[in-house]
Amino acid sequence: MTASEIETEGLVVAPALTTWVRDVRASRNGDGLTASFAPGTVSLRSAGGPELSAVAGGLGLTEDAVAGDACVASNSRPRLLMPLRSRAALAELTPDLALLRVACDRYGLLGCYAYSPPDRHGRAAARMFAPSIGVPEGIANANSTACPAAHAAGFGTHRLAVDMGDHLGSPSTITATVHRDRTGHRIRVGGQAAIVRTQEEPWPRVTG
């Protein structure tokens, strides 16, 4: 038996995906793929002054570029959510990745998710920097997009469409929806992709 690994523009969907996310759904339509998953519970806390200043310094941010309160969100490892005043301010970021890595390592952060405020339709833009794990900037980060979705739900916005990857020449859009039930907020993230290559791989042999 083989497992089908589908390589898309900016996304690889493989069996290993199910080891860290829940309820994976994917459907293929011709040369396209629609996929979504539930990333689990997101916890939020206020960002402390020292960690906020250190990360902002690594991003090269001035005080007037930040819009609203930054916070730390986690659905596996913590990352700092940095709201910026506009898409233009986001596009102008030129982080010092070495300095940003020092700041993230010092405060135990995976990285920084900088984003523009969602408009009234829930449309926003974001850039995810995670030099501490060897990712200077991500093209499309669905797991991290669950974090601002959880934060926005507290202010009445329950659906986001977040544009990423433009700065790297690989534009993508990630959707995130939030539903509330008796256990709290349930988040689902996903998107669509164009399939560029498929490859059959054998299932790993399980022993013991």
Side-chain angles (χ1 to χ4, degrees):
M1 183 179 292
T2 62
S4 177
E5 182 181 85
I6 303 173
E7 182 180 333
T8 69
E9 294 179 350
L11 174 69
V12 174
V13 179
L17 187 67
T18 59
T19 64
W20 56 275
V21 298
R22 306 171 185 173
D23 190 17
V24 178
R25 304 174 190 171
S27 60
R28 182 173 176 175
N29 300 299
D31 293 331
L33 177 77
T34 300
S36 66
F37 64 88
T41 302
V42 176
S43 61
L44 301 168
R45 68 167 175 82
S46 298
E51 64 185 339
L52 179 57
S53 295
V55 172
L59 291 176
L61 281 174
T62 58
E63 288 187 9
D64 63 344
V66 180
D69 296 327
C71 68
V72 175
S74 178
N75 54 3
S76 56
R77 292 177 59 186
R79 67 219 71 197
L80 193 144
L81 305 183
M82 184 77 77
L84 303 185
R85 70 174 186 274
S86 65
R87 283 178 175 251
L90 181 70
E92 292 167 1
L93 285 180
T94 54
D96 181 326
L97 294 175
L99 189 60
L100 182 59
R101 178 170 185 169
V102 169
C104 291
D105 288 349
R106 179 184 303 158
Y107 294 102
L109 300 171
L110 171 71
C112 178
Y113 187 101
Y115 64 103
S116 66
D119 64 18
R120 63 189 182 90
H121 301 294
R123 194 85 187 203
R127 296 174 66 184
M128 176 66 189
F129 305 100
S132 293
I133 59 170
V135 182
E137 181 173 352
I139 293 173
N141 193 311
N143 209 37
S144 287
T145 300
C147 296
H151 184 258
F155 298 92
T157 298
H158 293 89
R159 186 182 187 280
L160 296 181
V162 181
D163 299 324
M164 299 186 74
D166 297 83
H167 187 73
L168 301 175
S170 297
S172 64
T173 300
I174 300 165
T175 59
T177 56
V178 183
H179 302 280
R180 187 171 182 83
D181 60 18
R182 291 179 299 174
T183 63
H185 287 112
R186 300 176 65 86
I187 303 171
R188 187 160 203 90
V189 293
Q192 297 179 327
I195 299 171
V196 297
R197 181 172 64 90
T198 63
Q199 178 177 321
E200 295 294 322
E201 297 288 348
W203 284 100
R205 186 178 297 276
V206 179
T207 60

